[in-house]
Amino acid sequence: MKKIFFTIALSLVVTTLVMAQKQINLPLIPLPQKLEIGQGGFEINESTVLYSESEDAINDLNFLQAYITDHYGITLKSTIGAKQKKSVSVKRNATMKPDAYTLRIDSMSVRIEGGSGAGVFYGIQTLIQLLPAGKTTKLHVASVNIEDEPRFSWRGMHLDVSRHFFTVKEVKKYLDYLAMYKLNTFHWHLTDDQGWRIEIKKYPKLTSISAYRKGTLIGHYSETPERYDTIQYGGFYTQDEIRDVVAYASARHITVVPEIEMPGHALAALAAYPMLACTSGPFEVGRSWGVFKDVFCPLDVTFNFLEDVLTEVTDLFPGKYIHIGGDECPKDRWKESPFCQELMKRNGLKDEHELQSYFVQRIGKFLQTKNKKMIGWDEILEGGIAEDATIMSWRGYSGGVQAAKLKHDVVMTPTAYCYFDYYQSTSPSEPLAIGGYLPLSMVYKFEPVADVLSADEAKYILGTQGNLWTEYIGDFKKVEYMTMPRMAALAEVAWTAKERKDYSSFASRLSSHTKLLSFLNINYSKAFYDISTRVTPNGDRGINVELLCAYPNGQIRYTTNMTEPNSSSPIYDKKFSYDQSMMLKAALFEGPQMKGNVFSQRYLVNYATGKEIVLQDQPDPEYNKGGGFTLVNGILGNLPWNGNDWLGFQKTGLNATIDLGMARGISQVTLDVLSDSVSWIYPPSSMEVLVSENNIDFTSVGKLDSISIRKAGRQATIKFSKKEVRFVKVIATTAGKIQAGAPGAGNDSWIMVDEISVN
Ligand code: ACM
């Protein structure tokens, strides 16, 4: 598992409703590079024949035939031979780039040509997106002329099957979704602390012991006290099942990249084979999330084990890449181990990072003997990168940039854009997620090539991938919910030329495309219709409130009387001003239809709301979306925490002075703070309120020397006898270094604050 990583910005991307963007009405995702829409179209019906003009395209044609049978109940004849009138034909054309295709539809025929089987298949996927999204036997498709090819060669999705297990049938559905969006790489995260999921013939205990845990954490990892169920949980894929999945993927032109985690995230394996650890155990398959200190020890027996495992793995997966993990490996056990210290001395390794590098390089050399390329998370850069290793950059852009500059291939999966286990909506009805906030518009905004890279360096960026960690995703319907439609947005990032990308066009196409998602019974999220709010000061009179929606069509309708908005509620057309607390509910409508979730926001107005505020020390730039005004904007930051409407301080504490505009009789100051130790966030170690009439001479009116925050609570309040003052200063100190044993131990803790209320 990963913490919500702190080196990246999580900003809400919103645009106003009124966006004059050219709309492309066909529900095509990813958007083709060249698309002309003609008049009329073609009807595929029971008498249409499917022709493969070259023998080598017959498998892809048969895929189309099976799709039409499965979804429309008509079985078309499929044959090899020259196309006839009123037909659908496919052909490989070696003069085209392998992944390129053309799709030409007019009233006489549908013709697909592709540079390879993959190219033909992508043409078929585009055709499928043009088919009716409902059961009929007359399949009208619009007349188009499309010339298309991908921007990047690595267009991937990852799936963690360790934290929660998904059946072969479910994995195949996932592959269907990748295929729909022309994604070509499936990163299968097969091993982790909480379960080993691949049969290895030589080590049967990996499946009899490591594949099962005795229970699972209930609720969120940050909750205290921790609670567990006692239900045995697990599963694994036999080698026959793995071969079946690989073949299914291959028929969809998807390469499967298996991940065998090392040296960290290895607890499940150690539970079965404790001799691979630096201490004697016993170990238990992980029941909780997070990072565990017991990891593979760099013993000869461990390398022998891993080489045996990788021998079987490389035999099962024909693709060129093997992912060896490499992330989040605590070095505690290696530091304490006389064996490791001696090994380091013998090999001239200066620290445990170099020992990790030694570990990874040894595995890399072994994979070379199997003609495989090693890929690993960006931690494998630490202590020296292994020859020929490809880097999967997840902790922001920096690992990817560093690797590209070192002339290593890179796949970009930074948390801020590619972690689909993050929340995609701020709605309180959103199902439990790990944290963070990654709305669809943010995924879409992602640019995999960092602008600091030269054109030569940029060539090392192979592409991008969405990652789905499944600590909080216990069933496949939730897998669908978390990935759809963010997978679609990432597919457009990976496929479509940067200059052709346009969120407004994408969102409009997606809205039409959701008919297909419904037809396929896919549980997609409607969060892209979400409404958000922007608040600005209104002089001495509280705040101005605007409503925003990244979706470009429709109208926002609202209520202020606690009732749910409906299609006859007033249309929002200009900003509101509030000088007293107010509850606003709103939703997006297209005609009579409500499109997304109901937005609900309480705006709290007190003496501080909308007033001038000065911060002595600025928040960390990554958590400073709205500046000091965030603390007096009348809005409490969301819980679960999502980076929005919170200010974060790590190096300094908070020192804020509010000018109430005139002397007011006040007797209470409340600071809203967050407590989330998993994300390194702690309540302030102290809080003090000082008041002044002239902004020069301040008098302390109260101080708290410890602040305990209840799980759901978050307010620290100081009450005092009534004072007539104009200036209020609030000082809150951070809790300092994180203690041993807690996530992020040894790092500076954060305080996150979202509101100061003065009454
Ligand atoms: C990761 O998210 N730990 C790669």
Side-chain angles (χ1 to χ4, degrees):
M1 195 198 79
K2 66 270 142 230
K3 63 187 175 280
I4 300 303
F5 211 79
F6 264 100
T7 56
I8 39 79
L10 296 172
S11 65
L12 175 64
V13 181
V14 284
T15 47
T16 51
L17 260 180
V18 212
M19 285 197 67
Q21 295 284 357
K22 188 168 164 285
Q23 304 295 324
I24 292 154
N25 291 324
L26 295 178
L28 292 177
I29 297 173
L31 182 67
Q33 311 295 7
K34 201 164 156 221
L35 163 66
E36 290 162 8
I37 302 171
Q39 297 292 318
F42 184 82
E43 185 183 282
I44 300 173
N45 57 38
E46 277 141 331
S47 55
T48 307
V49 179
L50 309 177
Y51 288 96
S52 176
E53 289 189 65
S54 52
E55 223 166 282
D56 50 12
I58 190 72
N59 288 343
D60 298 300
L61 190 71
N62 288 344
F63 176 92
L64 175 64
Q65 181 197 37
Y67 183 93
I68 291 175
T69 304
D70 292 350
H71 294 90
Y72 301 98
I74 51 174
T75 301
L76 308 184
K77 187 162 172 256
S78 125
T79 184
I80 296 170
K83 66 175 182 286
Q84 306 291 321
K85 275 189 186 154
K86 292 279 175 191
S87 67
V88 175
S89 68
V90 300
K91 178 175 161 182
R92 283 203 202 178
N93 176 346
T95 67
M96 295 167 69
K97 287 192 207 155
D99 286 349
Y101 74 91
T102 57
L103 168 63
R104 303 187 204 282
I105 303 177
D106 56 29
S107 60
M108 297 307 291
S109 63
V110 174
R111 285 162 294 144
I112 293 170
E113 288 190 20
S116 68
V120 170
F121 185 76
Y122 299 144
I124 287 173
Q125 288 302 325
T126 300
L127 174 62
I128 284 173
Q129 291 192 352
L130 292 173
L131 294 174
K135 196 130 187 181
T136 166
T137 53
K138 298 198 187 321
L139 314 181
H140 182 270
V141 283
S143 172
V144 289
N145 190 356
I146 290 174
E147 289 173 22
D148 204 6
E149 65 182 41
R151 177 178 175 201
F152 289 109
S153 64
W154 186 299
R155 304 181 303 280
M157 278 299 300
H158 151 287
L159 180 65
D160 166 12
V161 294
S162 172
R163 280 51 179 267
H164 283 100
F165 179 70
F166 301 96
T167 63
V168 166
K169 196 166 159 208
E170 291 166 338
V171 171
K172 287 182 176 176
K173 267 197 198 178
Y174 198 68
L175 290 167
D176 288 343
Y177 306 157
L178 269 71
M180 172 159 66
Y181 297 125
K182 306 184 177 76
L183 298 173
N184 65 355
T185 307
F186 173 47
H187 174 170
W188 205 359
H189 185 80
L190 286 163
T191 74
D192 215 302
D193 300 302
Q194 297 81 1
W196 183 284
R197 306 278 176 236
I198 173 171
E199 179 190 27
I200 300 295
K201 303 269 190 208
K202 188 155 183 186
Y203 297 100
K205 286 199 274 184
L206 286 174
T207 38
S208 64
I209 294 176
S210 309
Y212 298 93
R213 58 180 181 253
K214 295 200 182 100
T216 302
L217 186 78
I218 297 170
H220 197 271
Y221 182 63
S222 59
E223 288 174 26
T224 48
E226 289 167 16
R227 292 171 301 142
Y228 293 89
D229 67 35
T230 52
I231 304 162
Q232 165 156 300
Y233 183 91
F236 65 91
Y237 308 103
T238 64
Q239 294 202 350
D240 280 344
E241 287 173 326
I242 298 267
R243 276 187 279 268
D244 181 32
V245 168
V246 168
Y248 190 89
S250 169
R252 285 151 186 76
H253 301 278
I254 295 168
T255 303
V256 185
V257 177
E259 180 176 353
I260 306 295
E261 270 271 19
M262 64 189 80
H265 289 293
L267 192 57
L270 301 185
Y273 298 100
M275 71 288 237
L276 309 177
C278 288
T279 58
S280 56
F283 306 105
E284 190 192 315
V285 180
R287 292 178 302 135
S288 179
W289 318 130
V291 169
F292 295 86
K293 284 188 185 155
D294 288 296
V295 301
F296 284 127
C297 201
L299 301 156
D300 283 340
V301 64
T302 306
F303 287 108
N304 291 340
F305 165 86
L306 289 171
E307 289 177 7
D308 290 342
V309 167
L310 290 173
T311 297
E312 293 192 33
V313 168
T314 52
D315 284 348
L316 286 166
F317 293 91
K320 84 176 160 189
Y321 288 99
I322 303 289
H323 201 303
I324 55 86
D327 59 320
E328 299 180 316
C329 178
K331 307 296 187 298
D332 306 58
R333 296 293 182 258
W334 293 0
K335 283 190 181 141
E336 295 152 6
S337 152
F339 168 80
C340 291
Q341 294 307 312
E342 172 58 30
L343 181 69
M344 284 163 59
K345 221 183 274 165
R346 230 183 314 133
N347 288 279
L349 307 172
K350 81 168 188 303
D351 59 17
E352 287 73 18
H353 291 300
E354 291 198 356
L355 180 55
Q356 160 140 345
S357 175
Y358 164 89
F359 194 118
V360 170
Q361 295 200 26
R362 223 167 126 167
I363 294 294
K365 287 211 177 77
F366 175 75
L367 287 174
Q368 278 177 349
T369 70
K370 298 281 174 192
N371 269 329
K372 296 289 184 187
K373 275 185 77 119
M374 178 169 71
I375 180 165
W377 300 109
D378 58 50
E379 284 93 332
I380 70 169
L381 282 159
E382 292 163 4
I385 187 171
E387 184 191 325
D388 208 25
T390 299
I391 294 297
M392 194 165 262
S393 186
W394 71 282
R395 296 177 300 173
Y397 276 88
S398 60
V401 168
Q402 190 189 340
K405 286 184 182 291
L406 292 168
K407 302 190 188 310
H408 282 254
D409 286 340
V410 172
V411 178
M412 293 300 296
T413 68
T415 54
Y417 301 97
C418 298
Y419 270 47
F420 297 168
D421 55 341
Y422 283 17
Y423 285 98
Q424 58 195 314
S425 167
T426 56
S427 165
S429 60
E430 204 60 9
L432 183 68
I434 192 163
Y437 179 52
L438 176 52
L440 187 74
S441 52
M442 186 82 173
V443 179
Y444 194 81
K445 207 176 114 173
F446 179 43
E447 170 46 48
V449 180
D451 53 16
V452 296
L453 294 178
S454 69
D456 267 354
E457 290 160 350
K459 291 191 189 123
Y460 291 98
I461 308 297
L462 301 181
T464 180
Q465 165 179 300
N467 292 340
L468 194 70
W469 302 100
T470 57
E471 289 92 340
Y472 302 97
I473 304 178
D475 63 65
F476 193 71
K477 279 287 156 205
K478 196 163 173 189
V479 167
E480 293 181 341
Y481 183 80
M482 298 306 278
T483 52
M484 305 294 252
R486 288 187 285 193
M487 188 193 295
L490 191 82
E492 193 147 311
V493 170
W495 181 282
T496 305
K498 191 176 164 185
E499 311 73 56
R500 273 180 77 68
K501 276 176 62 198
D502 168 50
Y503 186 73
S504 175
S505 151
F506 171 74
S508 296
R509 281 179 281 123
L510 176 63
S511 193
S512 311
H513 170 79
T514 58
K515 293 192 192 80
L516 176 59
L517 300 183
S518 299
F519 180 50
L520 299 176
N521 197 24
I522 295 172
N523 181 31
Y524 66 93
S525 164
K526 299 187 176 74
F528 67 102
Y529 298 114
D530 274 3
I531 288 165
S532 62
T533 186
R534 179 158 58 209
V535 179
T536 45
N538 186 21
D540 212 21
R541 301 168 157 273
I543 46 176
N544 294 319
V545 169
E546 284 171 86
L547 297 179
L548 309 151
C549 183
Y551 181 69
N553 309 320
Q555 298 96 25
I556 297 174
R557 294 177 183 273
Y558 71 95
T559 65
T560 52
N561 59 1
M562 306 287 284
T563 61
E564 298 299 288
N566 60 39
S567 59
S568 48
S569 302
I571 292 178
Y572 166 82
D573 57 3
K574 67 173 189 343
K575 61 187 170 200
F576 304 94
S577 296
Y578 289 140
D579 59 5
Q580 55 190 336
S581 296
M582 178 64 75
M583 182 76 191
L584 184 63
K585 292 187 175 221
L588 187 85
F589 288 81
E590 271 188 310
Q593 204 191 356
M594 191 195 290
K595 301 301 285 188
N597 295 310
V598 174
F599 163 85
S600 202
Q601 180 67 56
R602 184 169 289 287
Y603 300 89
L604 300 168
V605 179
N606 57 67
Y607 287 139
T609 313
K611 299 300 181 331
E612 256 182 51
I613 179 167
V614 175
L615 300 181
Q616 180 182 291
D617 303 301
Q618 290 313 300
D620 188 281
E622 309 290 2
Y623 294 96
N624 185 17
K625 197 182 149 252
F629 177 67
T630 304
L631 300 182
V632 291
N633 67 357
I635 292 183
L636 299 186
N638 264 78
L639 285 178
W641 171 79
N642 58 26
N644 210 24
D645 213 72
W646 292 92
L647 297 187
F649 298 84
Q650 187 185 32
K651 300 279 179 277
T652 66
L654 167 74
N655 184 326
T657 306
I658 302 168
D659 179 354
L660 304 181
M662 64 175 77
R664 302 278 193 183
I666 63 168
S667 57
Q668 175 172 322
V669 173
T670 297
L671 178 66
D672 254 47
V673 298
L674 193 62
S675 175
D676 184 357
S677 60
V678 180
S679 299
W680 311 5
I681 302 165
Y682 287 79
S685 57
S686 72
M687 167 186 167
E688 184 173 17
V689 173
L690 304 98
V691 296
S692 168
E693 284 164 47
N694 57 10
N695 205 12
I696 299 167
D697 310 307
F698 280 89
T699 314
S700 177
V701 290
K703 185 165 185 204
L704 297 174
D705 279 322
S706 78
I707 297 172
S708 76
I709 302 294
R710 283 170 294 115
K711 170 74 201 98
R714 54 198 221 181
Q715 297 191 329
T717 297
I718 291 181
K719 292 187 180 175
F720 45 92
S721 60
K722 196 161 176 176
K723 299 273 182 299
E724 287 281 336
V725 286
R726 177 169 162 182
F727 298 93
V728 177
K729 189 188 288 290
V730 179
I731 299 176
T733 51
T734 69
K737 294 263 183 251
I738 299 171
Q739 291 184 355
N747 288 282
D748 290 325
S749 63
W750 289 73
I751 56 172
M752 298 291 266
V753 292
D754 72 330
E755 198 70 7
I756 298 172
S757 310
V758 177
N759 290 290

